[in-house]
Amino acid sequence: MAANQLIEELVLSEKFPCIFGQNVIKTGNAMVSQYGKMDSKETAAAVCDDLCDFIKKYNLSTINADNLTFASNIAIFDQDLASQEQAAYLLALLLVNMHAYDESAGNGWYSGVSCEPKSDKFSYCVGGEAFFAPFFNPHAAYPQRRSPKPILVFNPHRMFEALRAKGKYQAFRDIIRKREE
């Protein structure tokens, strides 16, 4: 199955709770790419390079309450997973390798978010931009996050900041949580 077809079937299904994701797919504002194994440093570098291209293409630095664009960068991995534990391990390894590559490129952490994963202000950063990055896989604990292949979605943190500035974040979050029930 082609990458775009896989994403469309997953996100546009009635079971998919995220209305942001559905909007991104319907408006064509998703960059979808396929990669090799999640434990590969070459894969980590390719994902970072593609994220930097995404940042430029969608001019993420201009997203604010007056200029709100919903866009996502979606990474699909050619990786068989035996369990949720293996998925979590490979995700952590991928993110560590991505951070090392991004740091070696001279990119810093986005201001206003924490680099500490246990912080309530944590966001993963690449290319100087912050992202909320849900991970989908065949063994995900939440049924809404199950997919036939491992998929990591990078949603720009600025989208959520813009929604908060407009006073709409809470309402959208509540809609999504209701759909998850």
Side-chain angles (χ1 to χ4, degrees), residues 134-164:
F135 181 55
F136 298 77
N137 71 82
H139 306 285
Y142 296 107
Q144 303 87 346
R145 296 249 175 117
R146 290 191 188 132
S147 62
K149 291 187 167 277
I151 300 170
L152 187 56
V153 180
F154 294 91
N155 296 308
H157 182 77
R158 290 180 192 259
M159 290 187 321
F160 304 105
E161 288 177 336
L163 286 169
R164 281 185 185 96

Side-chain angles (χ1 to χ4, degrees), residues 105-176:
N107 293 316
W109 215 259
Y110 179 78
S111 64
V113 300
S114 173
C115 62
E116 292 299 323
K118 292 183 179 184
S119 168
D120 62 346
K121 296 204 181 284
F122 173 78
S123 279
Y124 191 75
C125 294
V126 172
E129 287 291 334
F131 296 93
F132 170 67
F135 181 55
F136 298 77
N137 71 82
H139 306 285
Y142 296 107
Q144 303 87 346
R145 296 249 175 117
R146 290 191 188 132
S147 62
K149 291 187 167 277
I151 300 170
L152 187 56
V153 180
F154 294 91
N155 296 308
H157 182 77
R158 290 180 192 259
M159 290 187 321
F160 304 105
E161 288 177 336
L163 286 169
R164 281 185 185 96
K166 291 181 117 177
K168 296 185 176 186
Y169 174 78
Q170 193 103 11
F172 279 108
R173 187 196 67 196
D174 292 347
I175 290 168
I176 293 167

